Amino acid sequence: TMAFIGAIYSETRTIPLLSVSLVTLSVASSTLIPLTFGASFVTLRSLFFATGLIMFGRETLHDVADLKADKGYKKTLPIVFGSKFARILSTASLIAGCIFVMIISPISLIGTAFILGGLIQVIKEVNLTQVRKCIDIGLIALVIGLAFR
């Protein structure tokens, strides 16, 4: 899946929302690898949805930050629907993903705290470079929390 998406990614930039959807699907699909070894989708579905929601939110924030560079080149969520809508949708997606992760591993609350701290800044329309660092630290903490499930 990832190799195919990588091969067609540059061609998808002009189709609204397709590039962020492909990145999200590519990353989330990696959580399904245990299916090849007999794991049940019921066991993996929360992780799949959490990963998809978190990646969609994170990548959308990147698109907001890259708005000026992407204009005329890509059709991203912030270009098609506006920066404010993209920030709100990104925030909702990240919060929903964090809820799924906390269902899997309550210790992931530590990472969620960092992400929520960053999301407060997103709503205030603060510079996204600093916000993304806070969210990325939170994502690392979420992964560590999942390791201690």
Side-chain angles (χ1 to χ4, degrees), residues 124-143:
K124 291 181 179 178
E125 299 193 22
V126 173
N127 181 322
L128 290 180
T129 303
Q130 192 63 30
V131 170
R132 290 188 307 192
K133 288 178 186 175
C134 188
I135 290 173
D136 286 346
I137 290 169
L139 293 175
I140 292 167
L142 285 181
V143 171

Side-chain angles (χ1 to χ4, degrees), residues 32-111:
L32 300 178
I33 292 172
L35 291 175
T36 61
F37 300 104
S40 164
F41 181 71
V42 172
T43 306
L44 299 171
R45 72 178 165 210
S46 291
L47 183 58
F48 175 78
F49 290 123
T51 304
L53 288 164
I54 288 169
M55 284 310 301
F56 179 82
R58 184 179 182 280
E59 290 302 309
T60 300
L61 280 182
H62 282 275
D63 288 343
V64 170
D66 297 340
L67 184 62
K68 289 179 185 172
D70 288 345
K71 272 196 176 176
Y73 175 71
K74 289 173 81 176
K75 300 246 179 172
T76 63
L77 192 69
I79 289 171
V80 174
F81 296 105
S83 176
K84 185 171 184 158
F85 178 79
R87 286 171 184 261
I88 291 168
L89 189 60
S90 175
T91 299
S93 183
L94 283 162
I95 289 170
C98 287
I99 290 169
F100 272 105
V101 171
M102 287 188 304
I103 289 169
I104 299 167
S105 175
I107 198 167
S108 296
L109 181 63
I110 297 165

Side-chain angles (χ1 to χ4, degrees), residues 13-28:
R13 64 185 162 70
T14 59
I15 302 169
L17 312 178
L18 188 56
S19 61
V20 71
S21 299
L22 287 174
V23 170
T24 298
L25 181 61
S26 177
V27 174

